[in-house]
Amino acid sequence: MNGSIVALITPFKNNKIDFKELDRLCSLHLEKNTDGLLLLGTTAEAEALSDDEKVSVVKFIYERVYKKIDIMVGIISNITEEAVRLAGLFDDFDVNCFLAINPYYNKTNTSGLLKHFTYIADHIRKPLVIYNVPKRTSMNIPIDVVSALSYHRNIVGIKEASGDFLYQLQIANFINDDFKLYSGDDSTMLLSLYLGASGVINVIGNAFPSDIRKIIQLFKTNDSLCKEMFYRLFNLIRIMYAEVSPIGIKYVMYLLGYNTLEYRRPLDKPSNYLKRLLENEMYILLENE
């Protein structure tokens, strides 16, 4: 998977998945030629979805976008065997790859982390992208673990969301045709591209799919315009993460006319302060289009 890979939000209505609105989101990404979708990630509030809901979301989107948009599916769990079990829920769908996180809460040591990802990769039927996101797990995947995992035949990349420039610089040393770097942090996507990232797994692309795809395309052809487009969105990205994601992006989508102002507990609607900040920034962006 390459290019703009949007971590898709999950719309709800009366605490149930709103498939009518999910269909609108699929239509948006088909129309804007989004390269890929990450389903059941953090942005999708996947931890708050039942197994049946997870399958229904993947099935619905798969039937809408298969062979038009690439699909990555999150198998997010801090239990190794549970991640494998989750992958098995999607055996009926020819998705491109899975995404697995390093354990949170029950943090492990280096050897345990190596065994965690290796076991998952050995027991799933599609390629695996490992996910480094210390803001959620309170630990980085050690550099030597990433190096070792990069040789595994079924591990094809890392989604890197630490925001740590030095860490990414070291990770870039392992990037090749068989192990790719994916930006996992909207605010540092340009850095990742400079270091050779094959794609940007992003949140802001829910609202501005064409812009993110264009930024990635322009990176190799028009550096100055690429930066100009990125910095046009940068303040919104910064504000959007003032409260835990996906609270901000779902409110942004609401401002764009989507029915996305419902969250699954423990998430809640944004504070009035964040609403005003987002409203003001969106007004500036849309007025200057």
Side-chain angles (χ1 to χ4, degrees):
M1 295 179 67
N2 302 299
S4 175
I5 304 163
V6 176
L8 198 68
I9 59 174
T10 303
F12 298 105
K13 186 175 182 180
N14 299 322
N15 203 37
K16 296 182 179 180
I17 295 169
D18 187 343
F19 287 99
K20 179 179 179 181
E21 209 63 11
L22 196 58
D23 186 62
R24 290 185 67 202
L25 296 177
C26 289
S27 295
L28 171 68
H29 291 292
L30 287 167
E31 177 188 343
K32 302 301 182 181
N33 296 310
T34 293
D35 299 299
L37 293 173
L38 166 59
L39 312 182
L40 306 183
T42 305
T43 310
E45 301 171 72
E47 293 284 72
L49 301 179
S50 69
D51 284 357
D52 287 345
E53 287 176 321
K54 289 175 181 178
V55 173
S56 66
V57 165
V58 172
K59 181 177 186 295
F60 184 88
I61 296 172
Y62 180 85
E63 290 176 349
R64 286 284 277 114
V65 309
Y66 179 55
K67 291 191 175 179
K68 299 173 184 175
I69 298 177
D70 289 338
I71 299 174
M72 179 184 295
V73 177
I75 48 173
I76 307 303
S77 176
N78 59 338
I79 305 297
T80 309
E81 289 78 4
E82 175 65 7
V84 173
R85 187 193 69 81
L86 288 172
L89 296 176
F90 312 109
D91 282 344
D92 291 337
F93 312 112
D94 184 26
V95 301
N96 293 74
C97 58
F98 290 111
L99 177 75
I101 199 169
N102 57 301
Y104 46 90
Y105 186 68
N106 55 339
K107 297 192 300 179
T108 184
N109 57 4
T110 299
S111 61
L113 197 55
L114 186 62
K115 290 177 180 178
H116 168 75
F117 284 119
T118 299
Y119 184 91
I120 295 172
D122 284 344
H123 290 83
I124 60 176
R125 66 179 186 86
K126 289 290 183 178
L128 180 69
V129 174
I130 62 176
Y131 184 12
N132 185 59
V133 56
K135 293 186 287 289
R136 300 276 180 177
T137 66
S138 73
M139 67 176 292
N140 271 320
I141 303 173
I143 299 296
D144 56 347
V145 172
V146 178
S147 176
L149 293 173
S150 70
Y151 291 98
H152 192 290
R153 58 182 173 76
N154 202 38
I155 296 178
V156 295
I158 179 171
K159 177 186 177 185
E160 210 301 283
S162 69
D164 183 335
F165 298 166
L166 180 58
Y167 182 89
Q168 283 203 41
L169 189 61
Q170 294 175 85
I171 292 298
N173 189 44
F174 313 130
I175 302 307
N176 55 56
D177 289 342
D178 298 318
F179 187 77
K180 297 183 177 183
L181 171 65
Y182 295 98
S183 167
D185 180 73
D186 286 11
S187 62
T188 59
M189 67 174 73
L190 282 189
L191 170 71
S192 297
L193 290 172
Y194 277 111
L195 293 178
S198 297
V200 176
I201 301 175
N202 63 92
V203 174
I204 190 65
N206 279 279
F208 296 93
S210 294
D211 296 68
I212 300 304
R213 192 164 186 265
K214 190 69 174 176
I215 287 168
I216 297 169
Q217 291 173 339
L218 286 170
F219 176 75
K220 292 182 178 180
T221 60
N222 191 328
D223 185 65
S224 60
L225 184 55
C226 170
K227 290 179 181 178
E228 180 183 327
M229 290 190 68
F230 172 74
Y231 282 109
R232 174 177 170 267
L233 294 174
F234 183 73
N235 203 43
L236 176 63
I237 292 170
R238 184 183 61 82
I239 294 168
M240 202 171 67
Y241 286 98
E243 294 180 10
V244 66
S245 185
I247 290 173
I249 187 59
K250 291 188 83 171
Y251 191 71
V252 168
M253 295 300 287
Y254 167 75
L255 295 175
L256 290 173
Y258 291 87
N259 179 36
T260 56
L261 198 55
E262 190 172 323
Y263 303 80
R264 276 277 174 89
R265 285 187 292 271
L267 297 188
D268 198 8
K269 294 178 182 179
S271 65
N272 288 333
Y273 177 68
L274 180 57
K275 287 180 182 178
R276 300 297 87 80
L277 290 176
L278 291 170
E279 289 164 6
N280 182 65
E281 188 61 28
M282 285 296 288
Y283 176 80
I284 293 170
L285 281 171
L286 297 178
E287 277 292 297
N288 293 330
E289 277 193 340

